[in-house]
Amino acid sequence: MILRLLPWSPTFLCLLISAIAGQIGIASSANAADRPNIVLMMCDDLGWGDTGFNGNTIIKTPELDALAEEGTVLDHFYSVGPVCSPTRASFLTGRHYFRMGIWTANRGHLPSQEFTLARMLKQEGYATGHFGKWHLGTLSRTVSAKGKGRRPDLHYAPPWERDYDASFVTESAVCTWDPGLGKRAHNNPYYENGVATDENVLGCDSRVLMDRALPFIENAAKKDQPFLSVIWFHAPHEDIQAGPEYLAQYEGHGEAAHYYGCITAVDDQVGRLRKKLDQLGVADNTLLFFCSDNGPEGKTPKDRAKTRRAGSAGEFSGRKRSVLDGGVRVPAFVHWPGQIPAGVRLDAPLSVMDLLPTVAAITGANLLPERQLDGENILPIWKGQQIQRETSIPFRYGDFACLVRGKHKLIIESSGDRSQDRLFDLSNDVTESDNLADQHPELVESMRSELLGFLKSAESSHAGEDYDGGHVPVDAWHPLSRAKNRKAATSNR
């Protein structure tokens, strides 16, 4: 006997509803599984040449090297900012820091109207956490680590009011050992979810912050909730001090042992993170990204020899505070099992501004259609499906403005005076010593026009035109003029 179900029978309708519900459930589960966890790590003042995966033979970074080997190394990756706060603003927003008035370190703050990685992913159901350095505003309305000139009431912009569910942060740099002590701890405590704390803030700073990041990750994983974890290490920014076990690994290296040791301490904590992801069973569905916020500290070889400023910019000219590549090209890699090729090194120019639109593409998150972004979705480049970024990368620091378009880099010092323009072919001039501006006037004019157009757009953003009212810039716009400190900012070192 064959049972026939008529389309209008109760049994048929129940089965149909059940099937539809089942398909919806399957689709929902698939969508949830397609949303990877995102862990975005950044060191502070780590030079391009300070890791094993970029050729350093002294500093031990086996955990970072393994992730780089199993993922894709970004050989031509820009922090965009040659100092910390600007890079951090661009990292979280996909926008150039000049749009927000964050000209340099300890200037400006992250406006509440900015659409950040945390805001974007929180709207998608992600748990959001930030651990380590903040440096995008004060964490108290009454005191600041930078003194009265910082105006804590004016620049109050903590992560717990910027869409993070959990946070463990300091306003600015702390010592890499015993971060709760010393001069840099003055008015600069760790704030845990908005409350200043002195609990477990001694010893290795990288371990201290990872002690907070891992429980956040574990809690989200146990709830089967995708997570965004931004981990910004303080190392190897000054004050640079390595713990005894790390100094022992670099005996005979003098003061540089402290610099080397605190980087290896970061590496150990990255290994600890990876082990936890494996234990939780989420490693294969977690995207790991790593970079630095600018080039290494240290103005001259003599300065670096006498202090702990032992960082390496590799073969590039310039260091921190320079718009030359040594100040803004940083070590970086992305690791995402099964999604990003392993054992690949990309030489396409990319930047921290690309993170937000790329994460949006990966997670299916919606961007603000009216918000001007300076980054772009580089997932096709990560996957090897596209060779180059479609748009140029703008820079601005002090009285210097730059643009990287493919293999060329233009540096200008004035909107009208072209006499100091410099054009470099980065594909065969990594030291930026051969000025080709006179040989390629049409290219210079094209890039100059694009760069000035960007600055005009950034000036409008700074005035609040990207926001829906109520925004008053805290500083006046910085017009581009002839540099007074040209030698300091662009000299080859």
Side-chain angles (χ1 to χ4, degrees):
M1 176 180 176
I2 299 176
L3 178 64
R4 293 181 180 273
L5 298 178
L6 298 177
W8 56 84
S9 70
T11 304
F12 177 86
L13 293 176
C14 288
L15 289 173
L16 179 62
I17 292 171
S18 177
I20 292 173
Q23 289 300 314
I24 292 174
I26 291 171
S28 297
S29 298
N31 289 337
D34 287 343
R35 296 186 301 170
N37 308 304
I38 309 290
V39 179
L40 305 176
M41 298 176 283
M42 185 162 67
C43 274
D44 197 348
D45 289 2
L46 184 74
W48 189 93
D50 285 337
T51 64
F53 66 82
N54 274 351
N56 194 294
T57 58
I58 299 175
I59 304 175
K60 303 171 185 176
T61 55
E63 299 291 345
L64 291 170
D65 298 346
L67 285 169
E69 185 177 353
E70 296 166 19
T72 292
V73 175
L74 311 177
D75 264 339
H76 199 157
F77 190 83
Y78 286 114
S79 62
V80 180
V83 292
C84 18
S85 299
T87 293
R88 295 166 196 278
S90 293
F91 186 112
L92 296 183
T93 64
R95 287 155 55 84
H96 195 277
Y97 46 88
F98 256 60
R99 295 188 185 276
M100 294 162 265
I102 301 178
W103 323 118
T104 185
N106 308 307
R107 293 293 299 274
H109 62 268
L110 182 65
S112 61
Q113 299 95 331
E114 281 296 324
F115 185 73
T116 64
L117 280 161
R119 181 168 299 178
M120 179 179 75
L121 292 185
K122 188 168 184 172
Q123 292 176 358
E124 298 298 319
Y126 275 66
T128 57
H130 192 109
F131 307 92
K133 192 175 184 180
W134 179 242
H135 221 186
L136 288 172
T138 61
L139 306 180
S140 166
R141 296 184 187 275
T142 58
V143 298
S144 168
K146 299 302 176 180
K148 295 180 180 179
R150 183 60 173 145
R151 284 290 304 277
D153 57 327
L154 181 63
H155 294 289
Y156 183 70
W160 54 88
E161 293 189 10
R162 296 295 186 271
D163 300 285
Y164 285 105
D165 300 317
S167 57
F168 180 72
V169 295
T170 63
E171 178 187 332
S172 57
V174 294
C175 185
T176 58
W177 183 262
D178 283 348
L181 302 176
K183 63 180 181 180
R184 286 193 179 269
H186 180 66
N187 287 339
N188 191 30
Y190 260 114
Y191 285 83
E192 188 161 20
N193 300 322
V195 179
T197 180
D198 58 2
E199 181 181 349
N200 184 22
V201 293
L202 299 181
C204 176
D205 176 68
S206 297
R207 190 269 307 158
V208 166
L209 69 89
M210 194 62 75
D211 279 354
R212 267 62 172 209
L214 295 186
F216 162 78
I217 290 172
E218 185 170 11
N219 184 56
K222 286 183 177 178
K223 293 191 298 184
D224 199 25
Q225 182 180 14
F227 56 83
L228 165 70
S229 182
V230 178
I231 303 175
W232 285 353
F233 297 99
H234 292 98
H237 190 289
E238 295 177 310
D239 293 343
I240 304 167
Q241 183 174 343
E245 65 178 293
Y246 295 105
L247 285 177
Q249 295 184 42
Y250 296 102
E251 188 175 356
H253 287 278
E255 288 293 290
H258 286 278
Y259 187 86
Y260 302 159
C262 70
I263 294 174
T264 298
V266 168
D267 190 77
D268 280 351
Q269 295 307 312
V270 173
R272 187 178 164 206
L273 166 67
R274 193 174 189 189
K275 182 177 180 181
K276 175 59 72 174
L277 294 173
D278 285 333
Q279 291 174 345
L280 295 171
V282 298
D284 288 343
N285 194 37
T286 298
L287 183 153
L288 297 172
F289 173 85
F290 176 86
C291 73
S292 176
D293 65 344
N294 48 249
E297 183 63 275
K299 296 182 179 180
T300 66
K302 184 178 179 180
D303 168 51
R304 298 193 293 272
K306 290 185 176 181
T307 68
R308 299 176 184 183
R309 298 174 170 183
S312 169
E315 58 187 339
F316 307 108
S317 295
R319 298 173 76 83
K320 183 177 180 178
R321 302 178 191 86
S322 171
V323 295
L324 295 174
D325 266 23
V328 289
R329 194 189 291 210
V330 294
F333 66 76
V334 59
H335 178 278
W336 189 14
Q339 301 294 328
I340 300 296
V344 172
R345 299 187 75 100
L346 294 178
D347 62 0
L350 308 171
S351 83
V352 295
M353 297 186 298
D354 301 326
L355 290 176
L356 183 138
T358 302
V359 169
I362 289 170
T363 61
N366 293 318
L367 297 170
L368 294 184
E370 73 283 2
R371 187 58 56 86
Q372 176 68 50
L373 294 180
D374 300 301
E376 67 177 66
N377 170 24
I378 57 172
L379 182 60
I381 299 178
W382 284 357
K383 286 179 170 288
Q385 300 165 349
Q386 181 178 319
I387 297 176
Q388 291 288 342
R389 204 174 182 273
E390 294 179 357
T391 56
S392 305
I393 302 174
F395 301 76
R396 174 76 198 275
Y397 187 68
D399 289 316
F400 298 87
C402 313
L403 191 76
V404 170
R405 181 196 288 176
K407 67 179 183 178
H408 290 105
K409 179 178 180 180
L410 177 70
I411 301 176
I412 70 174
E413 303 177 20
S414 169
S415 58
D417 184 356
R418 292 165 169 73
S419 64
Q420 299 299 322
D421 290 358
R422 278 154 289 166
L423 178 71
F424 303 111
D425 181 349
L426 298 177
S427 67
N428 58 30
D429 180 20
V430 296
T431 60
E432 296 169 77
S433 55
D434 186 12
N435 184 5
L436 305 175
D438 290 342
Q439 300 176 37
H440 302 281
E442 292 183 358
L443 178 60
V444 169
E445 195 59 34
S446 172
M447 293 180 68
R448 167 179 265 277
S449 177
E450 181 180 354
L451 181 52
L452 293 178
F454 157 73
L455 292 176
K456 184 176 180 180
S457 173
E459 184 176 5
S460 297
S461 297
H462 171 256
E465 293 186 13
D466 295 346
Y467 307 142
D468 294 329
H471 175 75
V472 178
V474 296
D475 286 322
W477 173 256
H478 283 203
L480 185 64
S481 62
R482 286 292 299 274
K484 296 178 181 179
N485 58 340
R486 183 185 311 133
K487 184 177 180 180
T490 64
S491 62
N492 292 342
R493 302 189 187 101

